[in-house]
Amino acid sequence: MMSALDENAKSVSDWLAILEQRHPSAIDLGLERVGEVADRLNLRQFPCPVITVAGTNGKGSTVATIVAIARAAGWRVASYTSPHLVHFHERINCDGAFISDADLVNSLDAIEAVRADTSLTYFEHTTLAAFYWFQRQNPDLLVLEVGLGGRLDAVNLVDPSVAVITNIGLDHTDWLGDNLASIAREKAGIMRAGRPVILGEREPQAVLIEHAQALDAPTWVKGRDYDFAVKADRGAWQYGDWLLPLPSVALDNAATAIAALQALAGLTDKPIAAAEIAEGLRQTSVAGRMQRLSWPKNLAGKASVPELILDVAHNPHGAKFLWQHIAPLAAPGRTIAVLAMLADKDSAGVMASSKTYVDSWCLASLSCPRGQSAAALADVAASIDLTACSAHDSVAEALASARLQATEHDRIVVFGSFYTVAAVLALSE
């Protein structure tokens, strides 16, 4: 039975406000409750192939690359990602378009109509709503990004045709375990018997290989079964005897995405041509991942402005990946970091992974659930002997401070959280 508040829910914002308050905890891993509701609408099954992507970092860019290449091949592709940066609709996409307000409300209503007394978290209810909408879009391919972990995540209700695990790092340790083997075991839960598994690390955790072998799942390991190389600013992707020239420098996640589609081609007899892969890579873009952004008008100032780069890196592994890919492309000049993080993240590890690349730090408070204060970040910075740090009440104020001290030859890198990046994107709207 819907409450009076529920009965008045006529907009997306109304619905999201209800879901944020309804369940006693934001995260409640397990498939029993959400599975019962899914079964009432038969939401576990899709007539098209499904690629599910898990991992500590790189999931979003891997999904985006798979989608772009498949669309370049003429496929109608649906995708589910999380979290969003500015608007919730960013999570649910089909054929290049986000779900509309009307369709999102209708899908949330459909889940509510069968939920009965079962309590669902915000993520569980909205994930089922996405599945409901996807079933009505008739896609040729569905690409799903795991929200947290893998084995007990609501996305894992759907059996993937191909499972992708990008990498394993220490994150969400309160839920997934405090060591890499435990975290890998949770992510291995997206594997299915006899279905291909793509591993995005050259030295994957042993538990991943063992679990795939137990399931008799064909396993592609980067560096063993596929790889990429960069020479003279040109990339090449290799699988067996096939060497595919790439239009630009290929990153780790692009290689993993191509491998996933090649594995899928072996199941569906729908190969993707080299030209379609190249075109898809040219079209790939991911908001908040090494994103170069035009300056917000109120902060731009002079015509010549420093480079502005946004990234959602929020753990040491992600920070290392960020700087490894920025550093070779960086022009001469100083690097100023704008950092804001959640309190339950390894801020010391992130700063330590970044310190050799950063000349000056503008630390900001995050005014959101679990947000960390700039003062707390400053204490962490002092504990690892970081210098040239300033503290600010918001990301906007930190960015303004960074802009004042930067010249046109410098670069400003904003990172630390999805909330951090969203705060800058909101300034540009």
Side-chain angles (χ1 to χ4, degrees):
M1 181 67 67
M2 296 177 72
S3 69
L5 178 60
D6 295 334
E7 291 172 347
N8 293 327
K10 302 297 183 184
S11 70
V12 172
S13 59
D14 290 337
W15 252 123
L16 297 181
I18 292 167
L19 297 179
E20 286 172 351
Q21 301 170 20
R22 175 182 280 169
H23 196 74
S25 59
I27 298 173
D28 189 2
L29 295 177
L31 300 183
E32 184 176 354
R33 290 174 298 96
V34 67
E36 289 175 357
V37 180
D39 290 339
R40 292 166 193 162
L41 287 172
N42 192 29
L43 297 180
R44 297 177 189 251
Q45 305 298 322
F46 290 86
C48 64
V50 177
I51 297 177
T52 298
V53 181
T56 302
N57 296 297
K59 298 187 296 292
S61 56
T62 301
V63 168
T65 306
I66 292 171
V67 170
I69 293 173
R71 292 195 69 215
W75 297 10
R76 180 177 171 85
V77 187
S79 62
Y80 182 59
T81 60
S82 65
H84 60 279
L85 285 170
V86 180
H87 302 293
F88 181 89
H89 309 65
E90 299 166 22
R91 300 180 180 218
I92 306 171
N93 190 301
C94 186
D95 205 27
F98 298 136
I99 190 171
S100 68
D101 277 6
D103 284 342
L104 180 51
V105 168
N106 180 64
S107 299
L108 292 167
D109 286 344
I111 304 307
E112 183 68 12
V114 300
R115 183 180 65 84
D117 294 328
T118 304
S119 179
L120 298 176
T121 66
Y122 175 105
F123 182 77
E124 290 167 344
H125 196 126
T126 54
T127 297
L128 293 183
F131 291 173
Y132 180 86
W133 186 68
F134 289 146
Q135 284 189 339
R136 284 147 185 79
Q137 303 312 301
N138 194 32
D140 300 313
L141 172 66
L142 176 60
V143 188
L144 302 175
E145 177 186 349
V146 169
L148 194 157
R151 180 175 65 95
L152 299 177
D153 188 88
V155 164
N156 202 34
L157 289 171
V158 177
D159 292 330
S161 310
V162 176
V164 178
I165 300 175
T166 58
N167 52 63
I168 305 297
L170 289 174
D171 201 7
H172 300 298
T173 53
D174 288 346
W175 294 283
L176 304 180
D178 60 2
N179 60 80
L180 295 179
S182 295
I183 294 171
R185 188 172 294 107
E186 290 301 314
K187 297 185 188 298
I190 69 168
M191 299 179 189
R192 295 297 190 272
R195 303 287 180 87
V197 174
I198 312 300
L199 300 180
E201 291 182 299
R202 288 180 171 78
E203 297 181 2
Q205 290 289 308
V207 66
L208 296 176
I209 300 295
E210 293 165 1
H211 195 68
Q213 290 175 341
L215 293 172
D216 196 24
T219 307
W220 299 37
V221 179
K222 183 178 289 174
R224 187 191 75 182
D225 304 293
Y226 72 97
D227 211 341
F228 76 96
V230 179
K231 294 181 180 180
D233 294 329
R234 296 289 297 177
W237 185 86
Q238 186 168 11
Y239 169 58
D241 295 328
W242 185 27
L243 192 66
L244 169 65
L246 301 177
S248 60
V249 175
L251 302 179
D252 283 356
N253 297 328
T256 302
I258 296 169
L261 286 167
Q262 290 299 312
L264 184 65
L267 298 177
T268 62
D269 195 28
K270 293 180 69 174
I272 297 180
E276 295 165 340
I277 293 174
E279 178 59 25
L281 291 175
R282 278 190 288 268
Q283 296 295 326
T284 301
S285 63
V286 190
R289 276 82 169 185
M290 285 181 277
Q291 179 182 1
R292 284 166 169 79
L293 188 71
S294 298
W295 274 88
K297 291 181 180 179
N298 61 325
L299 292 177
K302 300 176 182 178
S304 297
V305 295
E307 185 177 30
L308 178 60
I309 301 171
L310 311 181
D311 198 276
V312 298
H314 54 272
N315 52 48
H317 187 282
K320 289 176 184 177
F321 188 89
L322 166 65
W323 296 113
Q324 286 170 358
H325 288 81
I326 288 180
L329 304 176
R334 300 167 65 245
T335 296
I336 304 167
V338 173
L339 179 71
M341 298 187 65
L342 297 177
D344 56 0
K345 298 299 180 182
D346 181 6
S347 52
V350 167
M351 292 183 194
S353 298
S354 308
K355 63 187 300 183
T356 60
Y357 302 96
V358 177
D359 300 292
S360 177
W361 295 82
C362 295
L363 308 175
S365 297
L366 278 182
S367 57
C368 63
R370 297 158 39 224
Q372 188 164 196
S373 70
L377 283 176
D379 288 342
V380 173
S383 73
I384 60 172
D385 298 322
L386 282 191
T387 58
C389 296
S390 58
H392 306 272
D393 289 338
S394 68
V395 173
E397 291 181 17
L399 181 60
S401 176
R403 174 69 186 92
L404 287 174
Q405 60 181 281
T407 72
E408 63 184 282
H409 304 295
D410 299 333
R411 71 204 59 82
I412 296 173
V413 181
V414 182
F415 71 111
S417 168
F418 280 84
Y419 292 104
T420 309
V421 170
V424 177
L425 293 176
L427 294 173
S428 302
E429 286 206 314

